[in-house]
Amino acid sequence: MDRTTIKDIARLAGVSPGAVSFALNDKPGVSDSTRARVKAVAKDLGWRPNVAARALSANRAGAVGLVIARDDRSFAGEGFFLHLIAGMEEILTPARTALVLQLVASREEECEVHRQWWAQRRVDGVVLVDPARNDPRWPLMADIKMPCTVVGAMSDTPLPGVHIDDAAAAGNIVTHLINQGHRRIAHIGGDPTLEHSMVRRRAFAQEAERLGAVVIEAAATDYSEQSGLRETSALLKIGDRPTAIVYDNEVLTLGGLAAVAEHRLQVPTDISVVSFEDSPACRVMSPGITALRRDPSVLGRDAITMLMGILGGDDVEDVTEQPPELIVRGSTGQAQ
């Protein structure tokens, strides 16, 4: 079926193509009755605006970008990014702005994607995730002058962003476990070069030292279920094994629970388990998994709202989210 054009609408409405353009774009130059007639004809014909043409005339791509540099095994099972994207779409859809998503294997590949997108005018701006120490994206954004916002921005991040208090969240977990008598607490995290990983590790160690406990840092993981199983097995084999393990996300937690079962141990009788991210799996398991409850869709909404403001020429201020709430379930108990 041929696409309905403005000329088709003009012919049936008995007006000029120019009048149709004024009416459909809600611009002055036509009467209210003409505007209503034109819109009624357009609706009957199933007309939809040509997004590409509009973007070209406005010198806009009509899209924003999100690049995630993660192993696809961990991304597929991690709910955080899915909820983050859903929150972004809550703002983008009413604004008739598309989201361009790409998965890459490394930060270098991500930087190259940003260069290509900006050179080809495929996006009007981007949301950046997983800030890292000495992040190469900061000077890149300044060099190519691409509008952007950062999810998980730190106090020294030189770009506008949404701040998350991971230190307070980690401290709450340690305090909860120590109040239950745990003195040897293990932490299984991800990429140690990521800012949020460093913040969590530091907060775990500082709070544990303050309260007279020890935190055992496992080897870095790729956030996958397999790496959670591997590192948990290694921890359970040491002589003075930890009495509690904290995982950086629900995918690592699932791998860890598989390892606990393989070693014929019980949660929480033999070992307590905490996840830094909540999920339906954490809620329906028996026992339920103690986890931090946060709504990543809020982060997505705030990051896109900031970005749309920047694209509109507004002065924007950073946003600091409330620390997530620790939901205590059956997976944490008194240390034996």
Side-chain angles (χ1 to χ4, degrees), residues 10-236:
R11 177 172 49 81
L12 291 178
V15 297
S16 68
V20 172
S21 180
F22 287 146
L24 295 177
N25 290 288
D26 290 319
K27 293 183 178 180
V30 294
S31 66
D32 290 342
S33 60
T34 298
R35 191 186 312 278
R37 186 167 74 256
V38 167
K39 288 188 174 183
V41 171
K43 182 177 180 181
D44 289 343
L45 293 176
W47 177 85
R48 294 291 185 274
N50 187 323
V51 176
R54 282 191 171 183
L56 183 62
S57 63
N59 196 27
R60 287 282 187 89
V64 299
L66 173 65
V67 183
I68 300 175
R70 286 285 184 94
D71 185 292
D72 57 3
R73 291 176 301 170
S74 63
F75 172 78
E78 191 173 354
F80 176 87
F81 285 112
L82 300 180
H83 290 292
L84 178 77
I85 292 169
M88 295 170 68
E89 289 286 9
E90 286 184 38
I91 305 301
L92 293 173
T93 299
R96 295 184 178 178
T97 301
L99 175 64
V100 182
L101 172 66
Q102 188 157 341
L103 299 182
V104 296
S106 68
R107 191 70 72 206
E108 292 74 20
E109 289 182 54
E110 179 182 349
C111 287
E112 184 56 31
V113 169
H114 290 312
R115 290 190 188 95
Q116 291 180 5
W117 279 356
W118 193 240
Q120 298 168 0
R121 294 295 186 265
R122 291 191 60 194
V123 298
D124 297 314
V126 292
V127 172
L128 305 175
V129 295
D130 284 341
R133 181 59 61 188
N134 300 319
D135 201 306
R137 294 172 296 177
W138 305 167
L140 172 64
M141 294 296 119
D143 181 45
I144 64 178
K145 296 181 174 57
M146 177 187 278
C148 64
T149 54
V150 181
V151 172
M154 299 294 166
S155 59
D156 59 350
T157 302
L159 298 170
V162 179
H163 297 256
I164 305 168
D165 196 345
D166 275 319
N172 289 340
I173 292 174
V174 173
T175 300
H176 167 67
L177 291 173
I178 288 178
N179 286 342
Q180 292 187 311
H182 297 279
R183 291 297 180 268
R184 288 180 59 79
I185 303 168
H187 173 223
I188 298 181
D191 185 347
T193 67
L194 297 181
E195 293 273 16
H196 74 265
S197 292
M198 289 187 282
V199 168
R200 292 177 186 182
R201 290 170 188 265
R202 185 164 56 246
F204 278 131
Q206 290 175 347
E207 189 67 9
E209 182 180 9
R210 185 180 73 83
L211 296 174
V214 174
V215 169
I216 305 166
E217 280 292 346
T221 73
D222 60 1
Y223 297 102
S224 68
E225 185 178 345
Q226 293 83 356
S227 60
L229 188 154
R230 181 185 67 246
E231 296 308 321
T232 302
S233 292
L235 288 169
L236 297 178

